[in-house]
Amino acid sequence: MADIFLSYARADQPRVEKLAAALEEAGYTLWWDKHLRGGHQFSEDIEAAIAEAKAVLVVWSKDAVKSEWVRDEAAYGRDHNKLVPVRIDDTLPPMGYRQRHAIDLNGDDAMAALTEALDALVGGHHEAHQHAANSGKSKHAPILVGAALAVALLGATGYFVTQQGEPTTATAEVEDRDSIAVLPFVAQSSDEDDQFFADGITEEIMNRLDALGEFRVLPRTTVFSLRDSGEDVDALTKRLNVDYIVEGSLRRGGDDVRVTARLIRTGTGETVWSYSYDGSRDDVLQFQSDIAEKVASSLDVLLDERLLARMEDAGINDPEAFALGAKATELYSRAHGELTDLSLLYEATQLYDQAFAKAPKLVEAQTQASDLYSHILLDSFADITHPELPQEVTANPREQLLERLAIARRNASTRRHRLAIDLYAAAFSDDWSDVASLSRQAHVEAQGCSIPNWNTFLVAAFDKVDFIADTLLAQQECYTADSIRMYNSFWELGRVDRLDDARATLQRLKRDGDKTSDLESVLAIWEGDAERALRLARRSDRLYHLQTARAFAGREIDKVREFLATQNVPIYEQISFYALIGDRDAANRLARKVDARRGGATALQIAADFCNCGAPWDIENTPNYAAMLEKTPYSWPPRKPLNWPMKDW
């Protein structure tokens, strides 16, 4: 059993090797990834070593905070009270890991502070370590530790001295993370199934590269939104603002498959490498793995056993499952264009189920499939039924949703996925006591271009949460060509009072040629300009925005009432609109009705989130919701960042 489990980012390995050598010289025993055994299961070795260690020494840096593996290992150390955090640059540990002071290894008292922290966990001067005794080394003698660590810490600045005495900076230390877009591979045939198979290859390569934590890999929603744009690689390069592009194709003839791929450096248009693979359908697994490894190696990533294992663990290793998932996702996206008929969403769910049955690691298939049941449940509160769906699907939607999320949770392989699933499930549960904590953790753990669903539920309505806005802004670079994600980012930034950032987001959408009159109308409401809001809303084809502007301006309220009476309006919109036009009795009546039903508290909270107007109803009408809220850090009423009139017209 080692005294210390050492956790670090691969980019920091040269400095960490010196630190490890100094600690071993001082008599500590260490386990780090150089001890991984060939042929053994990577994750099992890690878990066994971290469980047996007395201390978990986490080396935080600008690269380490981006590493999901480092965060997972730090979380284990924190949760088991054996975390010793240190810093080798100016980067602070992520939120959620700052309860313990991170020792600055560049500080004057670093050596004494580190040995004191380690000795408190591993036994210090009072316990003889057999390793040290057998080798004749001192038992953590402070003088020896100080001297050895001083040598190790000389490398922490990122500089070394040349023979001529000139300071020079290691390239790996100053370069920002490269950004990569893996464009949808093109199926060079008329068979629709071949295109979905090619989409599966694309996603597999994305996932493997993203798992490394070395790059910013643009998400599926962004790159797939450009599939039919007709733009060439040069135009796409400008739209996506990335350093590298991977593009490729798939051609199938019977059982024969040819996959081609090339890596392009966008700054120069240079092809870094290109390759063609010929084989059978069964060989595609190896093709996509090799492509991902070639991309990483070409960008100077040293693929040691740890990183190769990480890529392998991220892979689904079933192209057919990915193809089914890709087909399901296309239907899922189409379904969300019109949700009065859930037939397409049901078809997507069936395909997601097939994909998950083939590859249980594809947990997104279960979380995406659960969306069908959330729509059925929320529609039921407005007495909207779905006769187009089988009865067994519409029965007990809340229970079916939570069961699917529980299945996804059991199969999730990363802390990031587990947190996102936990947050989603908590929103629909009978207990919101963990929602605020889960929301913050999910944002802290957000890596690369990921962001959890339901990330603002409850929290944004009651708390001015800059961490949500900061995550949204950081990830806008991932969604620069994805207008839907940018629209959502605009909304969420406004809801947490970051109007300047919302305005900047709107300008980006306008520069990209998106129609923005609806969002400009919303911004006018946020700025208190009722007439401008109404004028812009009339140009929009979105009825919701027109009704919102009418409510804010206090104009044509009869048309708002007509809209609520004749359209299939979700219950949370109904409650919000009645509140906004000053019909408190109607809002209270609806809130009482929803509160009396199982799961109604979730629908009511969505209404509070949606309205962004303070208290849309009087809390005494919703005792069940009030009881749920009492379990949270928050109290009624919600924030009122916008100055809604909310009076009787």
Side-chain angles (χ1 to χ4, degrees), residues 19 59 86-88 102-107 110-111 114 149 153 156:
L19 174 62
V59 182
V86 299
R87 294 189 294 126
I88 57 174
I103 300 165
D104 183 357
L105 292 188
N106 295 303
M111 290 73 77
L114 178 55
L149 282 181
L153 297 180

Side-chain angles (χ1 to χ4, degrees), residues 426-467:
F428 282 89
S429 74
D430 290 321
D431 185 355
W432 291 344
S433 58
D434 290 335
V435 168
S437 173
L438 286 170
S439 179
R440 184 174 292 275
Q441 289 181 68
H443 279 270
V444 167
E445 296 287 343
Q447 179 189 11
C449 292
S450 68
I451 191 167
N453 292 326
W454 297 90
N455 65 91
T456 61
F457 178 81
L458 182 71
V459 179
F462 288 94
D463 195 0
K464 190 175 184 296
V465 278
D466 283 335
F467 71 85

Side-chain angles (χ1 to χ4, degrees), residues 253-270:
D255 291 331
D256 296 328
V257 175
R258 164 167 283 197
V259 175
T260 64
R262 68 172 177 148
L263 175 66
I264 302 168
R265 182 177 288 111
T266 58
T268 62
E270 168 196 2

Side-chain angles (χ1 to χ4, degrees), residues 235-518:
L236 290 174
T237 296
K238 294 176 182 177
R239 289 279 304 274
L240 295 172
N241 189 30
V242 291
D243 299 307
Y244 294 90
I245 280 179
V246 179
E247 66 169 3
S249 64
L250 165 76
R251 184 189 299 277
R252 285 207 301 177
D255 291 331
D256 296 328
V257 175
R258 164 167 283 197
V259 175
T260 64
R262 68 172 177 148
L263 175 66
I264 302 168
R265 182 177 288 111
T266 58
T268 62
E270 168 196 2
T271 297
V272 180
W273 64 260
S274 62
Y275 203 78
S276 295
Y277 301 83
D278 292 297
S280 68
R281 192 180 180 97
D282 293 336
D283 295 321
V284 170
L285 285 173
Q286 183 56 46
F287 296 167
Q288 60 198 21
S289 176
D290 192 66
I291 291 169
E293 290 175 17
K294 277 187 166 61
V295 170
S297 296
S298 296
L299 301 184
D300 298 326
V301 176
L302 178 61
L303 293 177
D304 54 19
E305 288 187 24
R306 180 179 187 178
L307 292 184
L308 287 171
R310 189 181 295 180
M311 295 178 80
E312 179 64 21
D313 193 50
I316 298 302
N317 295 325
D318 191 326
E320 298 289 354
F322 253 136
L324 286 166
K327 193 170 187 177
T329 298
E330 180 174 296
L331 289 173
Y332 179 91
S333 299
R334 285 171 51 197
H336 280 78
E338 180 54 69
L339 285 169
T340 54
D341 183 336
L342 297 183
S343 298
L344 282 179
L345 201 52
Y346 174 56
E347 288 182 45
T349 297
Q350 291 178 299
L351 288 171
Y352 279 133
D353 284 347
Q354 294 176 42
F356 185 78
K358 292 177 70 66
K361 285 174 64 178
L362 197 60
V363 295
E364 292 88 346
Q366 282 290 2
T367 55
Q368 295 283 76
S370 67
D371 187 58
L372 169 67
Y373 302 93
S374 71
H375 286 289
I376 295 171
L377 175 65
L378 294 173
D379 282 352
S380 71
F381 294 118
D383 298 322
I384 300 172
T385 61
H386 291 283
E388 73 275 17
L389 301 178
Q391 186 175 358
E392 63 269 19
V393 174
T394 57
N396 302 315
R398 182 170 177 264
E399 287 71 17
Q400 294 193 69
L401 182 154
L402 291 174
E403 175 57 26
R404 283 182 176 273
L405 293 180
I407 293 170
R409 179 67 163 77
R410 289 195 293 271
N411 287 276
S413 59
T414 69
R415 175 178 167 81
R416 175 163 49 101
H417 280 128
R418 290 191 292 271
L419 279 170
I421 294 167
D422 287 345
L423 182 56
Y424 189 172
F428 282 89
S429 74
D430 290 321
D431 185 355
W432 291 344
S433 58
D434 290 335
V435 168
S437 173
L438 286 170
S439 179
R440 184 174 292 275
Q441 289 181 68
H443 279 270
V444 167
E445 296 287 343
Q447 179 189 11
C449 292
S450 68
I451 191 167
N453 292 326
W454 297 90
N455 65 91
T456 61
F457 178 81
L458 182 71
V459 179
F462 288 94
D463 195 0
K464 190 175 184 296
V465 278
D466 283 335
F467 71 85
I468 290 177
D470 291 342
T471 303
L472 291 166
L473 290 171
Q475 296 191 339
Q476 280 192 4
E477 293 307 313
C478 300
Y479 304 123
T480 183
D482 183 349
S483 59
I484 293 175
R485 292 281 187 145
M486 293 294 283
Y487 266 55
N488 291 341
S489 185
F490 168 87
W491 271 99
E492 300 299 348
L493 287 166
R495 289 179 61 208
V496 294
D497 298 348
R498 296 281 283 265
L499 288 193
D500 285 343
D501 293 322
R503 291 186 188 98
T505 302
L506 182 60
Q507 290 304 312
R508 292 186 66 168
L509 282 162
K510 292 176 74 171
R511 282 199 303 270
D512 289 339
D514 290 286
K515 295 180 180 179
T516 57
S517 58
D518 51 346

